[in-house]
Amino acid sequence: MSNDGDRELAIVMDSGRAAIVAIMQAGVVTARDVENLRRTVTAWRAPTREEADALWALETSDAKKCAEWTAFFIEAITEHVVWQARPTGVVNEGQGEWLIRAADRAKSLNALALLVNVLAEAHRVPLWFLAAVKSRAAQGWPGLEEARRACEAEAAIAA
């Protein structure tokens, strides 16, 4: 890539990280913010590690998050972990460790949903990763029991 192309990519990546930090400072994630993040962070490439770390920081922050945040967060981090590096579809040891550490810091439903999504999309993960995800699901992270009850109630209504 040319030096001009490298500079353009660096500017785009910096603007993505800056957009995430600005949202975190505002203390609220709106649907418009998510739309903007889709344009600046994931429109034509996978998020960088710095952007993925910033998205995790936003997830763990006290910012009020709109419903659209969950899908975006899961898609963006999955794209970063599963599809960005070669060989695609493979979560290596380092990526798995980074993902579990980040999820352990967040201890949120979104983090658990992300771990499950990575398992669903990846062609191969480290042997220990599935056990680690199951272990987190069994730990009863905040909101997990309420989500289970809501799913059971929805299933009962549908039946």
Side-chain angles (χ1 to χ4, degrees):
M1 188 180 279
S2 71
N3 284 339
D4 288 340
D6 290 342
R7 277 193 291 273
E8 288 173 15
L9 181 59
I11 290 167
V12 168
M13 289 187 311
D14 286 344
S15 67
R17 206 171 29 241
I20 298 165
V21 170
I23 292 167
M24 194 173 348
Q25 290 173 341
V28 63
V29 181
T30 66
R32 179 172 283 183
D33 291 329
V34 171
E35 183 180 312
N36 183 42
L37 289 174
R38 285 191 187 283
R39 280 193 310 274
T40 59
V41 177
T42 62
W44 55 276
R45 63 179 173 80
T48 64
R49 178 56 62 95
E50 292 78 18
E51 290 167 331
D53 284 336
L55 290 171
W56 273 110
L58 183 52
E59 171 62 21
T60 61
S61 76
D62 291 333
K64 183 174 173 14
K65 297 163 189 84
C66 65
E68 291 84 356
W69 165 254
T70 298
F72 170 76
F73 173 72
I74 292 169
E75 291 164 12
I77 301 297
T78 299
E79 181 73 20
H80 171 72
V81 172
V82 177
W83 302 114
Q84 178 180 9
R86 300 276 187 251
T88 59
V90 175
V91 176
N92 66 35
E93 293 285 328
Q95 293 166 317
E97 291 168 359
W98 171 82
L99 191 55
I100 291 294
R101 277 194 312 272
D104 284 347
R105 281 191 302 275
K107 289 193 176 178
S108 67
L109 287 177
N110 288 348
L112 188 56
L114 169 61
L115 294 175
V116 171
N117 194 62
V118 166
L119 284 172
E121 287 203 21
H123 303 302
R124 196 168 67 226
V125 298
L127 291 174
W128 57 266
F129 191 78
L130 176 58
V133 173
K134 285 181 178 180
S135 168
R136 270 93 190 143
Q139 288 177 7
W141 285 357
L144 184 58
E145 190 55 39
E146 294 83 3
R148 265 192 206 134
R149 283 194 298 270
C151 286
E152 288 170 359
E154 188 174 306
I157 292 170

